[in-house]
Amino acid sequence: MKRGGSILLASLLLASAAAAAPKKVTGYDSLGITTGKPGGTYTLALGDSPQSFNYYGVIDNNLGLVAQQLFDGLVEYNYKTYKVEPALAESWTVTDGGKTYTFKLRQGVKWSDGQDFDADDVVFTYDQIIQNPEARAGDAASFIIGGQRVKFEKVDKYTVRATLAKPAPAFILQMRNFIMPKHKLLKYSVEGGAKSADINTAWGTNVDPSEVVGTGPFKLASYVAGQKVTLAKNANYWKVDAKNQKLPYLDRVEFLIIRDPQAQVAQFLAKNIDQLNISGAQFPDLKSREVAGAPFKVVRSVALFGSPPFLAFNFDAKDPALAKVFSDVRFRKAMQSAINRDRIIDQVYNGLAGPPGHGVAPANTAFYANTKAQLGSFSLQAAGAALDAMGLKDTDGDGIRNIARGKNLEFDLTYGTDSSVYPPMATILQNDLKQIGVKVNLKGILASRLLSTGQSGNWEAILHAFGDQPDPELRKPIWQPGGALYYWHRDLLPAKDGDTPNIKAMFPWEKQIYDIFDEASTATEQSRRKALYTRWQLIFAQNLPVIPIAKPENIGAISNNFGNYIYNLGVIPGYNPVPLIYQK
Amino acid sequence: MFVFFIRRLLGMIPTLLLISVVCFTVIKLQPGNFTDQYLEDPRFTKETVEAITRQLGLNDPAWLQYLKWLWGVVTRFDFGYSFANSRPVISMIGERLGWTVFIAALTLLATWIIAVPMGIYTAFNRHRAPAQIANFLGYLGLAVPDFLAALLLIALVLSLGGTNVGGLNSPDFIGAPWSAAKLLDLLNHLWIPVLAVALEGVASLMRQMRASTLDVLGQDYIRTARAKGLRGSVVVWRHAVRNAVNPIISLAGLSLPTLISGTIIISIVLNLPTIGPQLYEALINKDQYLALTLLMLSAFLLLVGNLLADLALAWADPRVRYS
């Protein structure tokens, strides 16, 4: 509440200065942000056609990329610090021991069709869409706190109150959800007389663009199936720059639909695309072109967001002998010593990655605890000695260690084949482990099937990655033992979602982590939460539920025609620096 | 003839039914679920999986899902909804059919225009150097996959400073009304896919044409034609080609389904708004009705293509008669 309080104070000061205050975007000099000039068209790539224009109708990354230019949430991230700051809500207070959130909405904000934005839209969005369990891309589960649905009420035209059954400090982060126009979507909602699943059919890709109304910096202008999405400046946008010039600067944002990453690079080189996020593998070519005088810059940035790959072992592997070995922390530590992180960073990422954190990105100043010492160093001798000490020795002289008499220490490593990083990583691991008498059989699957394979339990070891977020609470289902995505120890899963997991089956360190997440999810003091999550990271680093491998940097390429570029991973609701971009 | 036509048309119905059953079974046997692709999203919970499964009717046993789909097709010509897009499959396909047919027809045409004369030429002049060179180039085209050829062409265009590296139009022209400039821009983009796909098809078609022409060349009636002093061109076109073209016509019928499936990879590489990538996505993500309908369309085109080829054969060759 301390945090909320200080923001509240700042916002109240702002609010008292002007009643209908647009948000002034300042303080990013250190990111190289200057005053821009209006005009210009900015062209980006989209990996596939959007499946709808209704953000809550379908989970679709391409839709998300478009939608974040069309809509805003009540709060958003600071571009530099990743702290939560006001957006459509000008301020908020947290009372009743962290159980009541009262949002003062920004007055004078208009939808792109000229209608007023007010509390009705906010209550409608949360109550009728996000909390609608039939909305395919809604988020009903996150709004059941303490077993009860969060209640959203309109207090007056510009005040909204949310009531929680128990304190949840990360709740404010959920307020980044995009607010939708009630006057356009009412007819697809239960309140408007429709069936609850009907919301999914709103704003299909064949919708009249003028129907898709938002508060965001841009509005939908046209869509040519399979080819291009065009957005035009929203003249009603509520942000201004340091000199009170209206944002966004750009007149148009265009998304060219290009599936193949190589084709995207070709289009970038042909100057048909102005900005492109690239991988470490593509970096050397583009960078050498930049150095040779090509009219673009390749920008590296240390990433908070982004997915650091890890190696996981199935504690509940079908083979009981393997399951026993995998559950042994000595084995996982031995495997960690056999992971040549430097080589992977060098060869797989072209040096564009750093050592990983444990569940928290090293760039996350609010929560990261320095666990670098626990990463250890690469040593096949040490790994071999540790396996020897566990009694896993080669007893039959075939060059492979034995788990039991006549049974080799041999397992399948599942990885994604359609990725630039997993296949070389898997090969490096396989070769290094072979040298210490551990036989790895590579098992390639589609990267999009990694999670479902993990959750099926039908694997032995796996290379996978989950995205980092600013607040560990947002990643609780992954890292809290017994969580829905904690798939390396599925024995802990509760019989029904939301029930208490199988605590008896937890290792002592897992129980500790479990308790930490439980306490942190309701602790309201930031210092207490930081202390708890620090302990979690240390326990994680010592016990290695999974073995993190590296944290890739983010790399973006941007045409020299544009200024004020800030790296933008993709769809992170509440993190959209595009309004600041201007054409030189 | 008419009776034959009607009989063939009716014969298609059980074939199509059987194909649809097989396709649906294969789609269903694929491991995984439509919802798997979403699991990594933090918003996605078990409840959402259940809600979506219920909304999409995936709770029903597979045979019931199939029968419901079939009933919709038969009674309302409704081919179901695309799971991913929440839109009728028909409108999704319709959106892209125009460009798909246009591009595929153009590449087919280009293949034929290059391959047939080359086949004839290499048959008549098989011992000369130009024919050998043509053969070699044909094989090269066959050996290089179309998407690789497309990538090479893109690299070439890029290194020459061009900007027409994929898509059908420059960004400015996409969605703009038609004009001479847009048409020019389209042609400037179109030659890459047409050339890349056509090159691959040329070799096999050319060899076919060459082989069947060679067969015919040894026949008595060619010798007779030559002996009675007919002009060379008359011997070639009226006597040799007319007879050699029959297998090629059958081949043409078989190539109709490539309108759908022939351009999948190149459409992805060259970023063309065709049905190919849609089919690929639908199969990968188990968007079952979209995948099924596209496969059915492909099968239907194969049957129609065969029928048309048979009819064309009867027209081209007086010896072929159906009764």
Side-chain angles (χ1 to χ4, degrees):
Chain A
M1 245 187 323
K2 235 179 196 168
R3 192 166 50 137
S6 60
I7 293 171
L8 165 72
L9 198 68
S11 350
L12 279 180
L13 285 173
L14 254 175
S16 61
K23 177 170 170 174
K24 201 174 216 175
V25 186
T26 58
Y28 294 117
D29 297 351
S30 63
L31 294 180
I33 299 301
T34 57
T35 308
K37 65 178 172 61
T41 300
Y42 186 54
T43 310
L44 300 165
L46 209 56
D48 206 343
S49 310
Q51 295 171 359
S52 162
F53 287 111
N54 173 11
Y55 180 72
Y56 296 109
V58 54
I59 292 183
D60 171 17
N61 198 40
N62 302 301
L63 163 63
L65 283 170
V66 175
Q68 67 181 357
Q69 305 303 339
L70 306 178
F71 305 101
D72 302 294
L74 292 183
V75 303
E76 62 186 6
Y77 286 125
N78 183 291
Y79 298 135
K80 197 166 68 186
T81 63
Y82 304 107
K83 290 218 167 83
V84 169
E85 59 182 36
L88 286 178
E90 207 165 33
S91 68
W92 59 91
T93 51
V94 186
T95 52
D96 194 18
K99 290 197 285 189
T100 304
Y101 286 71
T102 310
F103 295 92
K104 282 276 172 214
L105 304 183
R106 198 175 293 279
Q107 296 189 25
V109 173
K110 286 191 189 314
W111 292 99
S112 54
D113 63 352
Q115 298 256 359
D116 279 344
F117 157 82
D118 61 30
D120 283 330
D121 295 308
V122 178
V123 173
F124 171 77
T125 301
Y126 279 100
D127 189 61
Q128 294 291 308
I129 303 179
I130 298 174
Q131 299 195 67
N132 174 354
E134 298 283 322
R136 290 191 199 163
D139 197 6
S142 293
F143 289 89
I144 294 176
I145 293 176
Q148 279 176 45
R149 190 179 153 133
V150 176
K151 202 167 102 194
F152 284 87
E153 298 161 287
K154 172 184 179 179
V155 177
D156 61 44
K157 194 175 180 206
Y158 291 107
T159 313
V160 173
R161 184 166 59 221
T163 316
L164 288 59
K166 73 174 194 191
F171 178 74
I172 194 69
L173 289 165
Q174 306 288 0
M175 296 294 103
R176 292 175 296 135
N177 280 310
F178 298 142
I179 303 298
M180 296 285 143
K182 183 176 183 180
H183 63 282
K184 286 291 182 190
L185 291 178
L186 181 64
K187 58 175 180 271
Y188 299 100
S189 70
V190 175
E191 189 185 336
K195 287 201 294 286
S196 41
D198 288 351
I199 189 67
N200 300 316
T201 61
W203 290 353
T205 43
N206 47 359
V207 68
D208 174 1
S210 65
E211 281 294 300
V212 183
V213 162
T215 56
F218 299 92
K219 59 186 176 185
L220 186 63
S222 69
Y223 170 55
V224 181
Q227 299 193 60
K228 189 170 84 166
V229 182
T230 306
L231 310 182
K233 181 181 197 159
N234 173 10
N236 298 333
Y237 193 51
W238 46 273
K239 281 185 187 173
V240 296
D241 70 2
K243 293 194 174 145
N244 285 322
Q245 265 191 95
K246 284 200 93 161
L247 292 175
Y249 295 122
L250 297 163
D251 282 338
R252 295 165 88 78
V253 170
E254 297 188 343
F255 292 93
L256 291 188
I257 297 163
I258 308 169
R259 276 179 201 84
D260 183 57
Q262 297 305 327
Q264 293 185 351
V265 172
Q267 292 280 19
F268 179 75
L269 293 175
K271 303 180 194 73
N272 289 329
I273 293 178
D274 297 315
Q275 194 273 318
L276 186 64
N277 289 350
I278 59 169
S279 69
Q282 295 161 326
F283 178 82
D285 176 41
L286 284 178
K287 190 71 189 177
S288 62
R289 285 173 195 261
E290 179 197 335
V291 172
F296 57 79
K297 274 190 197 53
V298 182
V299 183
R300 295 167 57 175
S301 54
V302 177
L304 190 155
F305 300 111
S307 305
F310 59 73
L311 170 65
F313 290 97
N314 193 347
F315 294 14
D316 310 307
K318 295 232 160 71
D319 178 343
L322 274 182
K324 186 160 169 279
V325 170
F326 290 164
S327 318
D328 193 326
V329 65
R330 290 177 298 167
F331 174 78
R332 298 195 300 275
K333 280 191 169 159
M335 290 297 106
Q336 165 157 275
S337 325
I339 296 178
N340 193 342
R341 289 195 173 96
D342 292 339
R343 182 173 166 206
I344 289 173
I345 289 171
D346 195 49
Q347 293 186 356
V348 179
Y349 291 101
N350 279 314
L352 301 168
H358 290 87
V360 176
N364 187 343
T365 48
F367 287 105
Y368 174 66
N370 192 334
T371 49
K372 287 203 176 75
Q374 275 79 11
L375 290 173
S377 54
F378 169 64
S379 162
L380 289 178
Q381 286 90 344
L387 294 177
D388 284 343
M390 284 178 71
L392 297 167
K393 292 183 182 161
D394 179 13
T395 51
D396 52 9
D398 65 350
I400 302 168
R401 289 168 193 274
N402 293 76
I403 294 188
R405 185 176 295 278
K407 190 169 162 54
N408 283 336
L409 177 52
E410 172 180 358
F411 55 82
D412 290 343
L413 175 61
T414 303
Y415 69 100
T417 46
D418 51 338
S419 140
S420 61
V421 295
Y422 291 131
M425 224 181 263
T427 318
I428 290 174
L429 286 174
Q430 186 188 35
N431 283 331
D432 285 342
L433 289 174
K434 190 178 168 192
Q435 292 181 41
I436 54 169
V438 178
K439 188 169 177 209
V440 177
N441 304 311
L442 298 187
K443 199 172 162 189
I445 60 172
L446 280 179
S448 60
R449 293 267 178 258
L450 283 172
L451 183 59
S452 54
T453 304
Q455 289 186 317
S456 74
N458 195 12
W459 57 283
E460 289 168 349
I462 196 167
L463 281 173
H464 191 204
F466 285 115
D468 282 324
Q469 291 282 346
D471 195 305
E473 170 74 11
L474 295 176
R475 307 273 74 183
K476 192 170 148 187
I478 301 169
W479 302 122
Q480 185 180 39
L485 302 178
Y486 193 85
Y487 62 73
W488 34 92
H489 198 177
R490 290 174 68 254
D491 256 10
L492 309 181
L493 277 181
K496 212 174 120 266
D497 248 10
D499 283 1
T500 314
N502 185 358
I503 290 176
K504 267 185 266 160
M506 286 183 188
F507 291 102
W509 57 269
E510 284 185 313
K511 177 73 171 61
Q512 281 180 347
I513 293 179
Y514 178 79
D515 290 340
I516 286 173
F517 270 95
D518 260 8
E519 189 184 342
S521 72
T522 51
T524 45
E525 263 182 69
Q526 175 63 11
S527 58
R528 179 71 191 139
R529 297 186 71 220
K530 172 150 191 177
L532 284 166
Y533 287 133
T534 300
R535 234 180 77 220
W536 158 58
Q537 290 170 68
L538 291 172
I539 299 173
F540 184 163
Q542 280 154 9
N543 294 284
L544 299 171
V546 306
I547 308 169
I549 295 175
K551 174 71 180 174
E553 285 176 18
N554 288 336
I555 312 160
I558 172 91
S559 152
N560 285 346
N561 291 335
F562 293 87
N564 282 354
Y565 170 67
I566 300 176
Y567 181 87
N568 183 9
L569 177 79
V571 192
I572 304 287
Y575 195 89
N576 175 25
V578 173
L580 289 173
I581 289 183
Y582 70 96
Q583 189 163 354
K584 285 176 186 166
Chain B
M1 187 73 178
F2 182 72
V3 176
F4 166 79
F5 179 74
I6 294 297
R7 200 192 302 150
R8 280 286 295 270
L9 220 51
L10 289 176
M12 276 185 197
I13 295 173
T15 317
L16 280 174
L17 267 176
L18 194 66
I19 292 174
S20 71
V21 171
V22 172
C23 287
F24 191 77
T25 314
V26 171
I27 292 172
K28 276 293 176 191
L29 284 178
Q30 236 192 107
N33 288 311
F34 169 69
T35 47
D36 285 353
Q37 56 184 312
Y38 303 125
L39 288 175
E40 233 149 304
D41 194 284
R43 290 175 278 173
F44 213 72
T45 60
K46 250 185 210 161
E47 287 77 24
T48 327
V49 175
E50 278 160 24
I52 293 182
T53 310
R54 187 164 24 77
Q55 284 169 18
L56 299 178
L58 291 173
N59 282 334
D60 295 337
W63 58 268
L64 188 59
Q65 292 174 34
Y66 173 75
L67 286 182
K68 279 185 177 169
W69 176 81
L70 194 63
W71 182 247
V73 174
V74 173
T75 56
R76 288 167 277 134
F77 207 64
D78 169 9
F79 286 83
Y81 262 67
S82 154
F83 291 172
N85 292 263
S86 301
R87 276 175 59 191
V89 163
I90 290 272
S91 85
M92 304 254 322
I93 296 176
E95 210 166 66
R96 293 175 182 230
L97 198 62
W99 280 121
T100 310
V101 170
F102 176 70
I103 293 169
L106 212 58
T107 53
L108 274 182
L109 200 68
T111 313
W112 280 66
I113 288 177
I114 301 172
V116 171
M118 266 173 79
I120 297 168
Y121 176 82
T122 52
F124 276 92
N125 305 284
R126 59 187 179 282
H127 297 306
R128 293 197 202 150
Q132 304 290 345
I133 293 171
N135 276 337
F136 174 74
L137 288 181
Y139 279 126
L140 200 68
L142 189 65
V144 178
D146 55 2
F147 64 90
L148 187 64
L151 285 175
L152 291 174
L153 286 173
I154 286 183
L156 182 72
V157 168
L158 261 184
S159 67
L160 295 175
T163 61
N164 47 330
V165 291
L168 286 177
N169 275 119
S170 302
D172 298 345
F173 283 112
I174 300 174
W178 281 101
S179 62
K182 185 171 174 180
L183 189 65
L184 206 64
D185 182 69
L186 175 70
L187 292 177
N188 198 17
H189 283 77
L190 213 50
W191 67 268
I192 297 181
V194 169
L195 193 62
V197 177
L199 276 183
E200 197 183 8
V202 160
S204 58
L205 197 62
M206 186 180 98
R207 298 295 293 182
Q208 279 275 356
M209 191 64 207
R210 178 173 177 273
S212 55
T213 311
L214 282 178
D215 270 355
V216 170
L217 281 187
Q219 300 282 338
D220 292 344
Y221 59 84
I222 298 289
R223 200 173 342 125
T224 312
R226 283 232 171 92
K228 66 182 179 182
L230 288 178
R231 266 181 298 127
S233 63
V234 177
V235 176
V236 171
W237 292 109
R238 182 97 40 91
H239 291 79
V241 173
R242 186 83 190 268
N243 283 293
V245 87
N246 283 5
I248 303 293
I249 290 178
S250 308
L251 210 63
L254 292 176
S255 62
L256 213 54
T258 55
L259 287 178
I260 306 279
S261 56
T263 54
I264 293 185
I265 300 181
I266 200 163
S267 289
I268 292 175
V269 170
L270 281 180
N271 188 35
L272 305 172
T274 65
I275 282 174
Q278 211 171 33
L279 173 61
Y280 174 78
E281 289 291 323
L283 285 172
I284 291 281
N285 293 329
K286 294 199 84 174
D287 196 342
Q288 60 188 29
Y289 299 128
L290 184 56
L292 181 58
T293 308
L294 284 170
L295 292 174
M296 291 302 296
L297 185 61
S298 183
F300 179 70
L301 285 176
L302 182 68
L303 294 177
V304 168
N306 266 328
L307 179 58
L308 289 180
D310 285 349
L311 294 177
L313 216 53
W315 170 77
D317 186 344
R319 287 169 304 180
V320 179
R321 281 289 168 266
Y322 307 108
S323 54

